[in-house]
Amino acid sequence: MREEWSLYWSSSRTGTLFPPVTGRFGADGRGVFRGKDAHDGKDVLVRFVRSGITASTARWEQAFSVDDGRTWLTNWVMEMSRT
């Protein structure tokens, strides 16, 4: 059984702690986390995916959905590597 994780984000400008996104890592090491958020004053679903996790690399991406998760628009991707 895979355990569910909660990821919390906060604003360094205001100190606001946002509601968590929840999800889990699969057997392939890919983590998918979803939650409710707002963008430009509109309610959206947000999805974070963590993948490609090795000793020296990782990938993080963020996507928004305005149609209750039927479609997703990826709007931020980070490719990380250890120097």
Side-chain angles (χ1 to χ4, degrees):
M1 177 165 91
R2 303 255 184 247
E3 298 295 328
E4 186 170 81
W5 292 59
S6 296
L7 304 177
Y8 291 83
W9 296 95
S10 64
S11 167
S12 60
R13 288 182 298 193
T14 65
T16 302
L17 182 63
F18 298 100
V21 292
T22 58
R24 62 192 63 211
F25 286 91
D28 60 357
R30 183 175 184 262
V32 180
F33 307 88
R34 292 185 175 98
K36 295 179 180 179
D37 204 340
H39 179 69
D40 289 338
K42 297 179 183 176
D43 290 338
V44 297
L45 290 181
V46 63
R47 178 183 70 191
F48 299 113
V49 177
R50 296 193 179 256
S51 61
I53 301 168
T54 69
S56 60
T57 64
R59 178 183 171 95
W60 177 91
E61 61 185 74
Q62 172 184 282
F64 289 160
S65 175
V66 294
D67 59 10
D68 206 29
R70 288 186 293 281
T71 61
W72 294 93
L73 173 63
T74 300
N75 56 25
W76 191 1
V77 174
M78 290 189 290
E79 299 277 350
M80 295 164 268
S81 62
R82 189 178 304 269
T83 56

